Amino acid sequence: MEPREVQTVQDARLIVEERGLSHVKIGLFDNDGVMRGKYMSREKFFSSLDNGFSFCDVVLGWDMQDQLYDNVSYTGWHTAFPDAPVRILPASCRDIPFEDGMLLFLAEFAGTAEAVCPRGVLRRVIDRAADMGFAAFAALEYEFFLFDETPDSVRQKNFTNLKPMTPGWFGYSMLRNSTHAGLYHEMIDLANAMDFPLEGIHTETGPGVIEAAITVDGALNAADKGALFKTFLKVFAQRHDIMATFMAKWSNDYPGQSGHIHLSLRHSKDHTSAFYDNQKQHNMSDIQLQFVAGQQKLMPQLLCMLAPTVNSYSRLIPGFWAPTDATWGIDNRTTALRVIPGSEKSQRVEHRVGAADANPYLALAAALGAGLYGIAKGWQPEPCTSGNAYAQKHAEHLALPKTLWEAAQTLKTSAAARELFGDSFVAHFAATREWEEREFRKHITDWELQRYFEII
């Protein structure tokens, strides 16, 4: 049996038995999209397939550096960090090609933890789409930089003066991808082996930067694939004695790294596109107009789900391929929402605000949920933006929050967010972003020292 054939609990047992594995690998994703997990014995795995297992809920109560939040109610010292129930997802079975037949299974939180579980949040939005008669499809694109560095060397250098894998500005370079063809082929092979196949991969503008587009799939599968791609691309790089970063902006000298989201809806009853109408301008159906309107109107309120770190807001500046207002346009890469006219199969919208550092589950939940909200409300979008959106003045209510703290406050007070994602999630995630901003404020930057130390 092949991993892609696994669908049921019985299938999961069978493939483990066929491979004679003593252990399998189990993983799930935390608030920041960081994969947490462990090796689990065969006997424990078989039992957990039927009954679930327990995972310390601290992984929802600490940040990406394992520091405990001091401002959340879901878990903490006040609850003594109990175990939370977790369910294994048999159909998520994947090979780990460099671990000699080892299998990976994804899991997600259940019980009360499900309310704040990132995968659970997205699944509830997808259920909303189904209740409205739609199936959601998505494709995620990620930009990342590769460096001739190791985890030890970047710390020895204090994360400064790092050496990119290749020098210069070589966007879409056949020179670079031919010179390093072996590395590209191995990335493509890894993506195929682990079932997050790439539709395309190429160099982007900047030293050592690559963009990879993951093949379209149903929205939940697309998020799984995005989260696994980010995790195992970093593993792949370190196994090759290089490093990958998905930071939104690692240097002010180069454009930031995006995590663009392509979205479309199809009618569940007949699988036809809900976005395509060849009788309308740009083939945009009334449903797609309403979807774009929802994304546009709620973008400022949901921004911290798409731009979740302090660093995310260094990317959202004019002229660097990242939007600063909730604008939309037709095939316009200067707007926040790029409607891509096409055929019945390809008509879609690209959400261009999301950064590469976003949690794929939460970024997709925000982009999809906002669109569905617009359909439910029958909203119409603001006038379409033509030309360079950066050079134009836009309505004040289309302005995006400028800091993570501001974005967290906007999420916290959003009635739409609470309706879409639930009070528990909104309160928990907004608090985690407030924590992230406060952690940043505890530190003195190089810029402050250089600016103030002597002269002030």
Side-chain angles (χ1 to χ4, degrees):
M1 172 175 282
E2 294 299 319
R4 288 178 178 84
E5 298 175 311
V6 175
Q7 295 297 317
T8 65
V9 166
Q10 291 73 23
D11 293 337
R13 285 197 180 92
L14 179 60
I15 192 171
V16 172
E17 289 171 345
E18 286 180 349
R19 295 196 177 192
L21 297 176
S22 66
H23 289 75
V24 297
K25 193 172 268 189
I26 306 294
L28 44 71
F29 292 90
D30 70 9
N31 303 298
D32 291 295
V34 175
M35 195 174 196
R36 310 283 185 168
K38 57 186 175 181
Y39 291 98
M40 180 181 284
S41 73
R42 167 179 170 149
E43 292 74 19
K44 174 70 173 178
F45 175 68
F46 284 175
S47 172
S48 299
L49 284 170
D50 291 321
N51 306 309
F53 69 99
S54 297
F55 206 109
C56 180
D57 75 359
V58 73
V59 300
L60 295 172
W62 63 18
D63 66 14
M64 65 186 76
Q65 296 293 328
D66 296 2
Q67 301 304 300
L68 300 172
Y69 301 126
D70 63 7
N71 60 341
V72 297
S73 60
Y74 165 71
T75 190
W77 292 118
H78 61 287
T79 66
F81 296 109
D83 283 342
V86 170
R87 69 175 68 92
I88 294 173
L89 307 168
S92 68
C93 179
R94 283 166 166 84
D95 268 313
I96 303 180
F98 44 80
E99 290 199 37
D100 297 325
M102 176 58 60
L103 292 172
L104 170 69
F105 289 84
L106 296 183
E108 63 182 4
F109 284 100
T112 57
E114 192 166 352
V116 297
C117 172
R119 195 176 192 275
V121 170
L122 175 58
R123 190 162 34 74
R124 291 193 295 277
V125 173
I126 293 169
D127 289 344
R128 178 184 288 263
D131 291 342
M132 296 171 67
F134 302 119
F137 291 84
L140 304 180
E141 298 175 349
Y142 288 108
E143 294 168 357
F144 55 96
F145 277 81
L146 293 175
F147 295 86
D148 276 332
E149 303 286 353
T150 68
D152 287 328
S153 73
V154 294
R155 285 165 172 81
Q156 290 164 2
K157 294 181 175 183
N158 198 28
F159 295 90
T160 60
N161 300 317
L162 304 180
K163 182 186 177 186
M165 192 186 81
T166 56
W169 295 59
F170 281 74
Y172 296 99
S173 173
M174 295 297 281
L175 176 62
R176 289 285 186 254
N177 69 18
S178 297
T179 301
H180 299 280
L183 194 69
Y184 279 80
H185 293 175
E186 287 188 56
M187 285 190 280
I188 291 168
D189 290 344
L190 174 71
N192 287 333
M194 295 197 70
D195 194 22
F196 41 80
L198 304 181
E199 183 179 87
I201 183 169
H202 61 86
T203 59
E204 258 293 353
T205 298
V209 63
I210 292 174
E211 178 176 312
I214 304 170
T215 303
V216 65
D217 205 336
L220 192 57
N221 285 338
D224 287 340
K225 292 178 178 184
L228 287 166
F229 171 79
K230 289 179 63 178
T231 301
F232 283 94
L233 194 284
K234 286 180 280 191
V235 172
F236 168 86
Q238 292 190 29
R239 288 176 60 85
H240 285 74
D241 295 320
I242 56 179
M243 289 192 75
T245 183
F246 289 83
M247 279 185 68
K249 198 171 180 70
W250 79 272
S251 169
N252 282 325
D253 295 330
Y254 310 114
Q257 283 124 260
S258 65
H260 295 162
I261 303 169
H262 292 253
L263 269 168
S264 63
L265 296 180
R266 304 193 79 80
H267 294 290
S268 300
K269 60 184 178 182
D270 59 9
H271 307 293
T272 59
S273 172
F275 281 1
Y276 178 78
D277 186 340
N278 62 8
Q279 302 301 309
K280 298 291 181 68
Q281 189 177 25
H282 308 302
N283 298 334
M284 288 185 73
S285 69
D286 292 340
I287 289 173
Q288 188 176 25
L289 277 168
Q290 294 165 357
F291 189 90
V292 168
Q295 290 188 311
Q296 182 180 38
K297 187 168 184 177
L298 296 185
M299 193 181 297
Q301 299 177 38
L302 308 183
L303 183 63
C304 75
M305 296 172 67
L306 293 145
T309 71
V310 171
N311 184 245
S312 301
Y313 296 81
S314 296
R315 169 180 167 268
L316 299 175
I317 57 175
F320 272 91
W321 300 99
T324 53
D325 297 284
T327 53
W328 75 282
I330 302 298
D331 201 12
N332 187 334
R333 285 184 169 86
T334 69
T335 55
L337 299 166
R338 173 185 169 227
V339 171
I340 303 174
S343 64
E344 197 276 341
K345 181 179 179 181
S346 63
Q347 183 87 11
R348 63 194 187 276
V349 60
E350 179 188 23
H351 200 301
R352 295 179 58 80
V353 169
D357 60 1
N359 182 328
Y361 297 103
L362 299 184
L364 188 46
L368 175 59
L372 295 173
Y373 202 83
I375 295 172
K377 297 294 184 182
W379 287 342
Q380 291 298 305
E382 303 278 342
C384 177
T385 298
S386 299
N388 183 0
Y390 299 125
Q392 301 175 36
K393 185 173 178 59
H394 305 288
E396 188 174 337
H397 64 269
L398 297 180
L400 299 177
K402 299 298 189 291
T403 66
L404 181 59
W405 184 271
E406 182 185 347
Q409 306 317 300
T410 308
L411 177 70
K412 193 161 57 173
T413 58
S414 170
R418 291 180 179 275
E419 182 179 338
L420 285 167
F421 313 123
D423 289 334
S424 295
F425 168 76
V426 170
H428 184 73
F429 190 70
T432 71
R433 298 312 95 186
E434 291 173 344
W435 162 273
E436 191 75 11
E437 178 87 12
R438 286 194 289 114
E439 287 296 285
F440 171 69
R441 296 299 171 197
K442 292 178 182 178
H443 296 84
I444 307 302
T445 66
D446 292 344
W447 182 89
E448 291 171 277
L449 289 170
Q450 293 166 10
R451 188 172 185 85
Y452 304 128
F453 186 88
E454 178 181 6
I455 200 167
I456 199 73

